[in-house]
Amino acid sequence: MPSVQQRKGFRSVRLLVDRQKGKIASLGLWETEADFQATIEWHQEQVIKFAGLFITSPVVGGYEVVVEV
């Protein structure tokens, strides 16, 4: 986590786990769309480094935050 926290525009991240299904999901918030896109590129590099740990390739996508309380 420290490496992702050092990314430009990092705001927060949540790691979600479904232990019964053996799945994880993460939810990250970034200051700008550009910060998010740069992190996606960095993320793809990390996936290559740790490919042996995954059963399938991670799915990456993005959503726009429209409400934050």
Side-chain angles (χ1 to χ4, degrees), residues 9-60:
F10 174 83
R11 289 185 53 202
S12 69
V13 69
R14 302 288 187 268
L15 184 62
L16 312 170
V17 178
D18 183 329
R19 294 178 194 275
Q20 291 179 335
K21 293 181 182 177
K23 294 183 176 184
I24 63 169
S26 64
L27 171 66
L29 296 176
W30 305 95
E31 290 292 333
T32 68
E33 175 72 16
D35 295 337
F36 170 69
Q37 291 301 326
T39 299
I40 292 298
E41 293 172 19
W42 171 83
H43 178 265
Q44 291 169 340
E45 295 169 6
Q46 303 311 304
V47 167
I48 291 168
K49 290 180 188 176
F50 298 101
L53 300 175
F54 301 109
I55 295 172
T56 61
S57 295
V59 177
V60 178

